[in-house]
C-alpha cells in the first residue's frame, strides 16, 4: 500500500532512513560504502558516511562501519587486502566526510593531526531559530551529566566557567568542573527562512556531541531533528514552529521521524600535501533545504 499523499511518502522515507542499513548483509553494506567513496590514494580512502549508520557496534547494532572495513578493503583496487583503519568518528546520525586509513601507521598520523587540531572540519546544520549574533564563536566547556526525570538518562551539557552575579549583573568566574572538557565552535549563518537557519559550523575542539550542545544550549538554536538536545529534562520529540511544520508538510505528531540535519561537509588535512575533501549533503537534507526555502550560498 503506497501512500499517494506526498507528505505521507516523505514521512515514510524519513522513517526508513536509519532502518535500511541496519537490515542489510555486511557485504551489501560494504558495497554501499564503496559507492560512497569520495577520494582515495595510497594512504587514505574518504567516504561519504550515510545517515543512521554507527561507526562502532553496541547493543542493538547489527551493522556498523568498523565491522565491514575488512570487506570494503577487499573490494578496493590495488589493495593488499589489509583492513582499513578508523581515524576519527562521526555520530550515528551525522552524514558526510569520513577518512579511513589504509595502514596502522597512517591512521596514527591522522589521529595525531586531529588531536593537535591540524584538521579543518566544516559542518552544515539546519537549526531551529536564528543564532544571535549571526556569526561568532561559542567557547563553553562541556561535560556529561545524568538527567533526573521519570526516565533517567545521560546527556552532554554546558559547564560554563562564568556566570552573572544576581546582585549587580557582573560576570563572575566560577570554579571549573573537574570533568568538563574545553569546547570551542565557530559558527556563521548562511541563510534563514521558515523559522530555521542554515549554519556553517567549525568545531575547533572535538568533544562528544559538541555542535549539538553548543547550538541547543549555548545559542538556543537546536539542530532540526535533534530530539535528544531539544529539551533538557525529558526525552521527547522536538517541538517545531507552525511555519516549519507547514513548509515541511509534517504534523507535530510525526516530528519524531525527522532525522538530525547535521552534515560533515568538508574536511581538509595536511598529508604530505594538503588534501581537501568536500561532500554534498544527502538528499533528505537537500529536500529539507528546498522545502524550507533555505538557499545554499554559491561560493
Amino acid at each position: 500500500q503506497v501512500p499517494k499523499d506526498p507528505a505521507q511518502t516523505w514521512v515514510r522515507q524519513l522513517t526508513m532512513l536509519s532502518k535500511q542499513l541496519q537490515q542489510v548483509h555486511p557485504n551489501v553494506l560494504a558495497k554501499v560504502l564503496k559507492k560512497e567513496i569520495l577520494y582515495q590514494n595510497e594512504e587514505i580512502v574518504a567516504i561519504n558516511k550515510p545517515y543512521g549508520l554507527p561507526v562502532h557496534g553496541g547493543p542493538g547494532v547489527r551493522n556498523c562501519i568498523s565491522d565491514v572495513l575488512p570487506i570494503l578493503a577487499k573490494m578496493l583496487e590495488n589493495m593488499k587486502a589489509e583492513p582499513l583503519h578508523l581515524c576519527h568518528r562521526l555520530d550515528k546520525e551525522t552524514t558526510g566526510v569520513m577518512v579511513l586509513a589504509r595502514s596502522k601507521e597512517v591512521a596514527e598520523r591522522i589521529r595525531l593531526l586531529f588531536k593537535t587540531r591540524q584538521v579543518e572540519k566544516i559542518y552544515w546544520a539546519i537549526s531551529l531559530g536564528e543564532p544571535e549574533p549571526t556569526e561568532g564563536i561559542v567557547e563553553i566547556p562541556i561535560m556529561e551529566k545524568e538527567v533526573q526525570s521519570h526516565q533517567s538518562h545521560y546527556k552532554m551539557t554546558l559547564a560554563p566557567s562564568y556566570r552573572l552575579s544576581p546582585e549587580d549583573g557582573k560576570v563572575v568566574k566560577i570554579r571549573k568542573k573537574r570533568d568538563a572538557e574545553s569546547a570551542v565552535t565557530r559558527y556563521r549563518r548562511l541563510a534563514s527562512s521558515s523559522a530555521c537557519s542554515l549554519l556553517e559550523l567549525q568545531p575547533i575542539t572535538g568533544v562528544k556531541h559538541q555542535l549539538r550542545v553548543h547550538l541547543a544550549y549555548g545559542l538556543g538554536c537546536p539542530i532540526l531533528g535533534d530530539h535528544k538536545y531539544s529539551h533538557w529534562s525529558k526525552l521527547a520529540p522536538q517541538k517545531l514552529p507552525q511555519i516549519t511544520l507547514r513548509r515541511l508538510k509534517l504534523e507535530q505528531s510525526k516530528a519524531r521521524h525527522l532525522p538530525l540535519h547535521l552534515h560533515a561537509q568538508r574536511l581538509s588535512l595536511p598529508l604530505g600535501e594538503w588534501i581537501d575533501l568536500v561532500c554534498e549533503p544527502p538528499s533528505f537534507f537537500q529536500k529539507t533545504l528546498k522545502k524550507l526555502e533555505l538557499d545554499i550560498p554559491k561560493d
Side-chain angles (χ1 to χ4, degrees):
Q1 189 61 40
V2 177
K4 292 282 180 284
D5 173 12
Q8 288 293 97
T9 317
W10 172 235
V11 170
R12 234 175 93 246
Q13 286 170 346
L14 296 179
T15 324
M16 286 303 292
L17 261 177
S18 24
K19 290 189 182 144
Q20 278 161 337
L21 295 172
Q22 279 307 310
Q23 291 160 346
V24 300
H25 188 275
N27 289 358
V28 176
L29 180 56
K31 275 191 188 132
V32 169
L33 294 181
K34 182 173 189 257
K35 273 226 282 293
E36 296 294 346
I37 288 177
L38 302 165
Y39 172 87
Q40 52 179 322
N41 63 15
E42 305 71 60
E43 297 190 309
I44 63 166
V45 175
I47 58 168
N48 172 8
K49 180 192 159 303
Y51 181 85
L53 183 62
V55 173
H56 297 286
V61 173
R62 217 183 108 182
N63 278 332
C64 65
I65 291 179
S66 60
D67 285 356
V68 297
L69 291 183
I71 309 171
L72 179 60
K74 290 195 177 90
M75 292 179 175
L76 300 175
E77 290 82 61
N78 67 31
M79 250 317 244
K80 319 179 285 303
E82 185 189 340
L84 293 157
H85 301 268
L86 293 168
C87 306
H88 61 118
R89 42 169 307 176
L90 289 176
D91 288 349
K92 173 184 166 187
E93 292 91 0
T94 308
T95 54
V97 185
M98 190 169 174
V99 176
L100 306 166
R102 290 186 187 249
S103 71
K104 261 204 180 74
E105 299 71 51
V106 174
E108 288 301 322
R109 256 168 60 207
I110 294 173
R111 281 184 210 129
L112 189 63
L113 291 175
F114 271 97
K115 212 172 161 175
T116 52
R117 302 184 191 169
Q118 293 182 63
V119 179
E120 194 173 292
K121 297 166 285 184
I122 299 285
Y123 286 76
W124 277 5
I126 298 176
S127 72
L128 287 183
E130 203 174 317
E132 188 58 53
T134 53
E135 66 177 272
I137 291 175
V138 182
E139 188 170 351
I140 310 173
I142 289 176
M143 66 184 288
E144 192 160 29
K145 227 175 170 181
E146 185 173 6
V147 181
Q148 300 293 346
S149 66
H150 63 289
Q151 224 180 335
S152 276
H153 56 287
Y154 282 88
K155 269 184 188 163
M156 304 305 283
T157 185
L158 301 177
S161 325
Y162 297 90
R163 66 180 174 81
L164 293 178
S165 134
E167 288 82 54
D168 53 11
K170 286 209 170 88
V171 175
V172 202
K173 198 164 173 42
I174 49 184
R175 214 175 84 223
K176 199 167 177 283
K177 299 273 198 311
R178 244 207 342 261
D179 306 332
E181 293 183 70
S182 69
V184 185
T185 304
R186 190 174 275 145
Y187 72 91
R188 72 185 178 110
R189 191 199 67 189
L190 300 176
S192 60
S193 161
S194 323
C196 292
S197 302
L198 171 63
L199 305 178
E200 180 186 87
L201 307 170
Q202 187 181 0
I204 309 297
T205 51
V207 179
K208 179 182 173 186
H209 296 173
Q210 173 181 321
L211 297 176
R212 297 165 66 179
V213 172
H214 271 173
L215 268 116
Y217 302 150
L219 291 167
C221 296
I223 296 175
L224 184 67
D226 194 345
H227 307 292
K228 180 166 185 159
Y229 290 106
S230 288
H231 315 272
W232 167 248
S233 56
K234 56 183 178 181
L235 288 168
Q238 192 172 50
K239 189 114 179 58
L240 301 177
Q242 268 322 111
I243 181 166
T244 313
L245 289 168
R246 215 169 41 244
R247 290 269 167 87
L248 289 176
K249 296 188 167 50
L250 272 185
E251 292 157 34
Q252 179 55 45
S253 62
K254 297 278 193 284
R256 66 180 189 279
H257 296 303
L258 262 186
L260 182 75
H261 285 68
L262 178 61
H263 174 69
Q265 204 252 344
R266 185 177 205 141
L267 194 146
S268 312
L269 70 169
L271 266 187
E273 53 178 343
W274 195 260
I275 297 173
D276 199 20
L277 305 160
V278 181
C279 177
E280 287 294 301
S283 65
F284 78 83
F285 194 115
Q286 299 197 35
K287 273 188 194 155
T288 301
L289 287 173
K290 233 192 212 109
K291 285 174 189 268
L292 294 175
E293 298 177 3
L294 286 166
D295 295 328
I296 295 182
K298 299 277 174 277
D299 277 345

